[in-house]
Amino acid sequence: MSNILALDTSTENCSAALSINGEILVREFESPREHTKRILPMVDSLLAEAGIKLKDLDALAFGRGPGSFTGVRIGTGIAQGLAFGADLPMLPISTLAAMAQGANRLHNATDVLPAIDARMGEIYVAQYKLNAAGVMTLVDKEMVITADELVANFNKPEQAFYTLGTGWATYAQQLAVLNVANLTACEGIQFPTSHDMLAIAAADFANGKAVAVEDAMPVYVRDTVTWKKLPGRE
């Protein structure tokens, strides 16, 4: 069983979670614009509670986006710094996948449409389906689209989905015309959490998907931002 630290600052929610010897410890706080101040104390608190150091872990997972450009950059940079200092491999985890995993954990959902408000009239969205290993798996691709385009892409009368995230709340009126068999809202899940990244990270680690620090990149989905690696990294 792998011991993994996960952190995420990609949305208004700031979270860190630790999977250690089969136990999960969580720190979480909704704190827009305070991520840089809160995330490292959260990590320190988790390690202190578990009585371990970073170097005792197997890997470090982080929310690689999509989400707030600034939040994704902060999370990626801090995760890179921690992993580099402790010589840990990294596991980039989709924020949309984490939300879908949360829908399964809390609501036993198996077909999920998580959506994050991308601002500027657009939504980050993707379809996920539970696989045999109990991990949410991407169907097709992650997208950034308008509410009208979401309706056009997912207007499937034969399909039932669980929905969650700020994208559904922000564009509720436009999305109400979706013609699907059933849309069930997952109450209480607006943002991705590090807790739900752990299940995906453990599966990725077991399947050899960990990457070196210099290869741990954010995923914006929008292509209007250029990511710069930490100074001194090639």
Side-chain angles (χ1 to χ4, degrees), residues 113 154 159-163 168 175-176 178-185:
L113 281 178
F154 296 101
Q159 180 72 62
F161 293 114
Y162 278 78
T163 63
W168 291 96
L175 298 178
L178 263 173
N179 179 31
V180 298
N182 186 39
L183 288 177
T184 303

Side-chain angles (χ1 to χ4, degrees), residues 80-125:
Q80 280 184 323
L82 292 173
F84 182 75
D87 194 24
L88 294 176
M90 299 186 71
L91 296 159
I93 307 297
S94 163
T95 48
L96 291 170
M99 292 170 69
Q101 199 70 37
N104 176 254
R105 177 173 62 89
L106 296 173
H107 299 276
N108 295 316
T110 56
D111 292 275
V112 186
L113 281 178
I116 298 173
D117 182 7
R119 316 297 184 188
M120 296 188 287
E122 293 182 318
I123 305 166
Y124 298 120
V125 65

Side-chain angles (χ1 to χ4, degrees), residues 164-175:
L164 62 157
T166 54
W168 291 96
T170 303
Y171 301 97
Q173 185 173 348
Q174 296 99 307
L175 298 178

